[in-house]
């Protein structure tokens, strides 16, 4: 999976969000409870894991993501990007000021070890 390189390099903090609904507007963040914050090596490891997700073909489910990550730089003001993961339709939607249109929708293999490891991290982070 591809993430915006400059944003990954600038990331100082990741929020893990347990998504409760779809956003009301196109560029609005996914609503839900922030269940964890990852910084330092935890953030680097999570981004490395996300980047290692193998590709897949789209599976139709209507896109019902359960988890997202929001990446912030040191200012902690505006998210550099948010990635919302649907483990049913194999889709990741990225949005934010650093996301070029070509990276906005990607597909991953949820059965692959990196995806299962990421899902395990999400589940350990919160309900």
């Amino acid at each position: 999976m591809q993430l915006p390189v400059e944003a990954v390099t600038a990331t100082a903090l990741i929020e893990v969000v347990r998504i409760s609904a779809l956003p009301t507007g196109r560029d609005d963040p996914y609503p839900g409870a922030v269940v964890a914050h990852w910084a330092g090596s935890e953030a680097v490891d999570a981004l490395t894991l996300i980047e290692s997700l193998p590709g897949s073909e789209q599976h139709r489910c209507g896109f019902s993501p359960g988890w997202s990550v929001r990446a912030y730089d040191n200012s902690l003001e505006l998210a550099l990007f948010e990635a919302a993961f649907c483990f049913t339709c194999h889709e990741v939607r990225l949005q934010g000021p650093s996301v070029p249109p070509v990276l906005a929708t990607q597909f991953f293999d949820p059965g692959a070890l990196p995806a299962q490891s990421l899902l395990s991290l999400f589940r350990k982070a919160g309900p």
Side-chain angles (χ1 to χ4, degrees), residues 7-89:
V8 168
T9 302
T11 297
L13 177 81
I14 293 176
E15 283 183 336
V16 179
V17 178
R18 184 65 168 126
I19 297 173
S20 59
L22 292 177
T24 54
R26 169 171 252 165
D27 294 322
D28 292 343
Y30 285 82
V34 175
V35 296
H37 289 98
W38 296 334
S41 63
E42 279 185 311
V44 170
D45 291 347
L47 292 171
T48 301
L49 186 58
I50 291 168
E51 288 180 314
S52 75
L53 294 175
S56 176
E57 294 182 13
Q58 181 178 16
H59 289 74
R60 296 276 180 206
C61 85
F63 191 67
S64 182
W67 301 94
S68 79
V69 293
R70 294 183 191 133
Y72 293 89
D73 63 13
N74 284 322
S75 72
L76 303 176
E77 291 177 11
L78 178 66
L80 300 168
F81 67 89
E82 180 173 19
F85 297 85
C86 180
F87 282 80
T88 304
C89 68

